[in-house]
Amino acid sequence: MTVGKARLIGACWLACTAISLSAQDCHLALRGRVVDADTREPLGYATVAVAGIGRGAIADANGVFVIPDLCEGTTYTVTVSHVECAHETKIIRLTENTELNFFLHHHLLDEVLVVEKAVAPTPAQSAVSTAGSELAAAQGVNLGEALKRLPGVSVLNTGATIAKPIIQGLHSNRIAIVANNVALEGQQWGAEHAPEIDPFTAQRITVVKGAAGVRYGVGAMAGAIVLEPAPLREPDGIGGWISLGGYSNGRAGVAAGAMDWKVPGTTLAIRVQGTAKRSGNLHAPDYYLGNTGAAELNFSALAGWKTGRWSHEVAATRFSQRIGILRAAHVGNLTDLQRAIDSPVPLNNEDVFSYDIDRPRQQVQHHLARYRTSFRISEKWKFSSQYAFQFNNRREYDVVRQNGSAADKPQLSFRLWTNALDLALEHFPIRHWEGGIGVQGIQQLNDVGKGGLIPDYNTLGGSVWLLERWRRFPYPWEYEIGLRYDYRQTNATTSGSLNTVDTIVHFGSLSGTAGIIYHIHKNLTATVNTGYAWRPPHVNELFARGVHHGAGTYEEGRPDLLPEKAWNSNLTLQYQRDHANLTLTVYRNQINNFIYLDPRRAFVLTSRGAFPAYLYAQADAVLHGLDVGASMPVVWGLAAEGRASVLRGYRLARDSGETTAHRDWLPLMPTDRFQYGLKWTANRTRGSREITDGRETFVRLLATTALHQTRIPESGLLQDAPAAFTLWSLEAGHTFALGKDKKQMLEVGLTVQNIGNTRYREYLNFFRFFTDEPGTNAGVRAKWVF
């Protein structure tokens, strides 16, 4: 072969190689963090090298690194090194933007073959989370307490023992609660029906704000609350945790624990978890609140395994709760009811401590079982299916004046069976688009065994959805679009002297979402989202008529109600740098045919006593406001914190004969609320950038100010709102490393709520007419992680 021919062949080979390389998609990124495997401290300035291509990166002071412009479908060998630590090598095959964390030991490691973990995309909707020490401080109370500090989240109370989360002014059937990868199906329609959720099952709780119907269905018109459990154990062996807590107000005790077992030599991992709670009568600053004890006993189990391309997961939970209802809120006649509202202290109140839970009370059990499987069709495609069964059994006991068998029976009982099937075909990035399409089916049977407040009903429904996301690192723009159609048919039947129902109603509509994320700077991101969502009226809103014993109200529905249709838009700016962060969200929610409980000045006298009247009404409404959360370092380890939630909600009402609508404030809207304080964190002196696993040592002093609610309807029972108030709270926590290898931990914490034992009443508490809120509550907790 001549030299000329050799050069020609070489040039052709180079050209073909260049063409082949240019055809590859080399816009993927590998990012991650390098930490000490024993202390979990970041290893700053570690060297990250990709063998064979001469590429790499130097981690920053927080151990974070990014290697851009890697090729899709290519297998890379990545080696990380750091002074005084052994190298760690991992082999991965990139199919999408990937996050890969390295844990370096002080002894030699072998080469490890790992499965890549996809980078969690930035939410295309406004979202806030609680985890670590903040979640641990509230897990022993209830879900509402765990979330009420988040901007845009407030709580609707029925007395001191029942709390429902509110997202930007909306609650109950307008919020989807997703636990164990299943949307909770209980009697959410009741304002005093607290979610049947054990916060101890979650490692992180995320609140998605705004229309989320495409992701979570018709129950997510206002957003969703997603409880994320800790991942199952990967190394062979046994681990777990045990948590104990005690609280002064109500002399409450909480015990919870979990055990994880990875069966050696198999892919099977198992977790069992349980929680027990007990509390007695709570104490306001000047008196005990009679019959406000509570008891709870919960269990859950989770198992997962893999067989070839198949992944399987099976789970079961049982939630059981008994809640006492303030006895002073149930009175016998209209005169006594007016006297109770006018009195500064509760009437007919047992001003003593007791663990007894008498009438009136609620007893609730919720059972869930699910099986989920997924099949990896190829590197790009995955098929998954899930079946979930839920059974909710709720009983409400009113005060009775009979003896014998009648004294043991509930006045209201609801039993709800739910079967749900989900099928989804999802794909990993294809030309930077990732997402999927799916179908869902649901069947519900509700049996009202006692009371007749709402009719029996049988619901059938189906959904089809499509959701896609585009992102291409390091391109600063991301896009998300989604579309969903839902259909519901309900057959409601009942008979009685006051309310006879035998009808079929059916509703169907589209939902949609569109979001844009712009990474303005590495520390600053802007997110714009707009979504259309809808919700059919629930059976209680259509046909309820009678006394709702748990709420202490008389409620009456309207059979002519139309579906709610909402257009929600929001803009979120998020800035984060080192220990400073700022999140600002402005939103507007236009809801046509908004359904609400309209409180009336009149009271209704029944055979059970006298109760304030609430009638379901409907009008177009607008809710708009802003949520702010910020943290700013002051001196080393000390940061100033602040949160604010401001909401305006009004209806467009028309009087008889008017052609144009006028504005009137909506009832039961959250007051403007501000939180501000200082937090000192010891771990930040060692350079930790992000602490979210409860291992920090900290002290926090926080004040909460709720303003007087002046934006109330022109007429109605809620016309007189309570005064503004400010409460102070204190939190502290520390973690001890245990054992020779320092891998076990003992986390201890202290909380003191309402330090000043302030007398106050919450506007969004149905029992604020009868009693003050609880006084000072000091709590201690300890958690052993092994």
Side-chain angles (χ1 to χ4, degrees), residues 634-655:
V634 179
V635 295
W636 197 251
L638 185 67
E641 298 181 329
R643 304 178 186 93
S645 297
V646 177
L647 169 68
R648 301 292 181 265
Y650 56 87
R651 56 185 171 177
L652 302 175
R654 286 183 175 88
D655 295 333

Side-chain angles (χ1 to χ4, degrees), residues 256-275:
M259 179 76 73
D260 283 82
W261 180 35
K262 174 62 165 47
V263 181
T266 72
T267 62
L268 177 62
I270 301 172
R271 172 183 299 141
V272 291
Q273 186 269 339
T275 302

Side-chain angles (χ1 to χ4, degrees), residues 339-404:
R339 288 180 55 244
I341 293 176
D342 294 337
S343 175
V345 298
L347 300 181
N348 304 318
N349 183 48
E350 298 177 4
D351 191 10
V352 295
F353 178 82
S354 173
Y355 282 107
D356 294 338
I357 302 175
D358 299 320
R359 291 171 176 265
R361 69 175 185 270
Q362 296 181 3
Q363 293 183 197
V364 185
Q365 287 188 345
H366 191 89
H367 303 265
L368 183 149
R370 72 171 175 91
Y371 170 70
R372 180 179 179 84
T373 184
S374 64
F375 177 70
R376 189 68 178 261
I377 300 172
S378 66
E379 290 185 356
K380 292 293 186 182
W381 292 92
K382 180 180 73 172
F383 174 78
S384 62
S385 63
Q386 176 174 282
Y387 167 74
F389 168 79
Q390 297 182 66
F391 173 61
N392 185 276
N393 187 10
R394 168 175 288 273
R395 288 164 290 175
E396 299 183 6
Y397 298 79
D398 193 18
V399 177
V400 295
R401 295 166 179 82
Q402 304 105 317
N403 295 319

Side-chain angles (χ1 to χ4, degrees), residues 66-107:
V66 178
I67 304 176
D69 300 327
L70 299 178
C71 299
E72 180 180 356
T74 303
T75 299
Y76 293 102
T77 300
V78 184
T79 300
V80 176
S81 59
H82 190 271
V83 178
E84 298 181 355
C85 291
H87 298 348
E88 182 176 7
T89 299
K90 296 184 178 183
I91 302 173
I92 75 167
R93 181 179 175 85
L94 286 185
T95 59
E96 57 185 319
N97 291 330
T98 298
E99 184 179 73
L100 186 63
N101 295 330
F102 287 82
F103 300 87
L104 270 57
H105 292 269
H106 291 279
H107 55 83

Side-chain angles (χ1 to χ4, degrees), residues 180 196 201 298-301 315-319 366-370:
N180 224 338
E196 296 88 355
T201 61
N298 310 317
F299 298 99
S300 67
T317 64
R318 177 187 182 273
F319 178 94
H366 191 89
H367 303 265
L368 183 149
R370 72 171 175 91

